[in-house]
Amino acid sequence: MRRADGLPDHEPCDRAADPNRWQKVAWSDTPAVIQVRDGLDPEPGEPAWPSSSVSQPSVVASTLLALDVLDGHRVLEIGTGGGWNAGLLAHRLGHANVVTVEVDPSLAAAARDRLDALGLLPQVVAGDGAHGWAAGAPYDRLVSTCSVAHIPSAWLEQVRPGGLIVTPWTTSWSAYGTLLLTPHQDGTASGRFTPGGSFMAMRSHRSRIRDIGAVVRPDDAPDTSTTTLSPWDVAGGDRHVEAIMGLMLPALWTHWDDEPKVTDVRSRLWIGDDAQTSWATVDYDGRQLDSFRIRQHGPRRLWDEVTAAWLWWTSANRPPIDAFGLDITPDGAQTIWCAKPDGSMWLVPLVPNNDLETPEQTSSTRLTKSGPSEGRSDSGSCPSAVSESG
């Protein structure tokens, strides 16, 4: 087990070697990483990125409260991990009413042994959580302990109409927020996002872009201009803001480079698209915060899109994340919306641009997510081969 509270490289904590420290970590209100690199041996120089964890106890409690289980409910859990959440559900509802699915067979086996030793016997399935577990359907509740970029169709098919799906959410921009979604009898589903819930992504919804060099080529010749919008406004660490930017800017990722090795650049924000066609940078020179140099390359002008989304959001009086929701049609189209104070809604723009109107004038624009979002570059490196004049 490793602490996951910001210590470098998830500092190991071994129960046999240091039982007192292990117990302190286990009982603290912090997440604890139980697997890195999907359990595989690392490549040379590869960091020990986390692939499974025991969630922070307070987050587990809030998630289970949101799940709102009642006596007799059948629950499908996606992401067994260490088995703790499944054990709590089995204790509350009885083991026959709980099925938990874990994509990693070794983690599934370890969780099953751990739960068996406690006399808790939920059904532990080794399999892809995106497919759910049809053999146990229908379920009254589905809870995911990994974040998703869209709702898998199997989940909608396996949760009864009027039931509830509770899942953390991820976009290429940000992994934050929890969706509470209700399937309906007519094949539709609807729900709202709530604050909280920063979870590892489901494996099939993970980042596919590991290096900025996958998007930026040495012969790229970007257009250069300036902006007055601070990069820290949209990607400065405010989880609520970044989650909203992610909802409004589908398939765009960010990466901060604080050592760009470029003359007169102290810090640089990279923005790219999942399709690997376009990129932009915003540079801070270390001296003033009124204007920033931007470079944009490709068929899309990504910083223009970011600016338009920011202006749209601020013109709507900065609605919080719980003003946003998701609707799903019977054919699987997933539309994100934002509620107006009067109870009506705006449909969130699909691809904002410089000509984006005010929220009142964009009510007919749709954002449709029909497939997984691929890739936030959290570990990308700055490609030094790109020609610069700065």
Side-chain angles (χ1 to χ4, degrees):
M1 180 170 66
R2 297 164 180 254
R3 293 177 60 181
D5 55 357
L7 292 178
D9 205 26
H10 308 285
E11 182 180 315
C13 181
D14 186 84
R15 185 177 190 176
D18 194 345
N20 291 333
R21 182 164 173 265
W22 185 94
Q23 186 174 30
K24 182 178 179 181
V25 172
W27 284 94
S28 65
D29 191 26
T30 58
V33 175
I34 60 173
Q35 185 195 68
V36 297
R37 309 184 191 94
D38 291 338
L40 302 175
D41 292 332
E43 297 293 333
E46 183 185 14
W49 50 270
S51 52
S52 184
S53 68
V54 176
S55 298
Q56 185 172 342
S58 58
V59 174
V60 171
S62 62
T63 301
L64 291 178
L65 287 172
L67 194 64
D68 191 28
V69 295
L70 301 174
D71 291 347
H73 272 174
R74 287 186 48 75
V75 177
L76 173 63
E77 181 196 33
I78 306 299
T80 310
W84 180 34
N85 205 59
L88 294 173
L89 287 167
H91 177 75
R92 168 66 178 84
L93 297 170
H95 61 260
N97 287 325
V98 179
V99 179
T100 179
V101 180
E102 171 55 53
V103 69
D104 189 298
S106 63
L107 289 178
R112 186 182 297 111
D113 291 344
R114 200 172 290 120
L115 291 165
D116 285 351
L118 295 172
L120 298 168
L121 304 174
Q123 184 178 2
V124 181
V125 176
D128 187 346
H131 300 153
W133 186 246
Y139 303 97
D140 301 283
R141 299 285 189 269
L142 183 151
V143 60
S144 177
T145 63
C146 53
S147 59
V148 297
H150 71 288
I151 298 298
S153 59
W155 294 8
L156 298 172
E157 295 165 0
Q158 295 172 24
V159 175
R160 65 168 178 81
L164 183 62
I165 296 170
V166 177
T167 180
W169 197 256
T170 189
T171 64
S172 299
W173 196 280
S174 169
Y176 183 77
T178 298
L179 177 66
L180 277 61
L181 185 76
T182 297
H184 304 302
Q185 191 69 48
D186 61 1
T188 65
S190 60
R192 286 227 186 184
F193 295 95
T194 63
S198 182
F199 283 69
M200 299 172 195
M202 179 178 286
R203 290 192 182 184
S204 57
H205 292 206
R206 279 179 181 170
S207 169
R208 295 293 181 265
I209 299 176
R210 296 293 185 186
D211 195 295
I212 291 171
V215 181
V216 184
R217 278 74 182 183
D219 58 349
D220 286 349
D223 296 330
T224 302
S225 57
T226 60
T227 180
T228 58
L229 175 60
S230 169
W232 288 283
D233 282 344
V234 296
D238 186 317
R239 288 184 170 183
H240 288 80
V241 173
E242 292 187 7
I244 290 166
M245 291 297 104
L247 294 176
M248 298 180 64
L249 297 163
L252 295 190
W253 50 260
T254 67
H255 168 70
W256 278 101
D257 184 357
D258 292 321
E259 297 181 356
K261 298 180 177 65
V262 178
T263 304
D264 293 331
V265 178
R266 176 71 62 82
S267 186
R268 166 171 288 174
L269 176 66
W270 287 89
I271 301 167
D273 68 334
D274 291 344
Q276 303 182 29
T277 66
S278 305
W279 58 267
T281 62
V282 187
D283 292 343
Y284 168 57
D285 62 10
R287 297 187 299 272
Q288 54 85 36
L289 297 169
D290 297 327
S291 180
F292 306 87
R293 186 185 73 161
I294 60 173
R295 300 180 306 149
Q296 302 188 90
H297 182 271
R300 297 172 62 180
R301 288 297 180 256
L302 299 187
W303 186 250
D304 294 350
E305 295 182 15
V306 171
T307 301
W310 174 262
L311 293 174
W312 189 95
W313 183 59
T314 55
S315 70
N317 295 320
R318 304 190 180 199
I321 191 171
D322 53 11
F324 289 79
L326 178 74
D327 286 344
I328 304 178
T329 62
D331 63 2
Q334 303 190 17
T335 301
I336 293 175
W337 48 263
C338 181
K340 295 182 181 181
D342 64 5
S344 60
M345 68 178 67
W346 298 297
L347 300 182
V348 177
L350 173 58
V351 181
N353 54 59
N354 282 335
D355 300 321
L356 187 67
E357 305 290 349
T358 62
E360 290 76 7
Q361 295 170 304
T362 58
S363 60
S364 63
T365 306
R366 289 183 176 272
L367 185 158
T368 302
K369 295 172 71 85
S370 58
S373 179
E374 293 186 354
R376 179 175 56 259
S377 178
D378 289 331
S379 57
S381 59
C382 177
S384 58
V386 178
S387 174
E388 294 196 31
S389 59

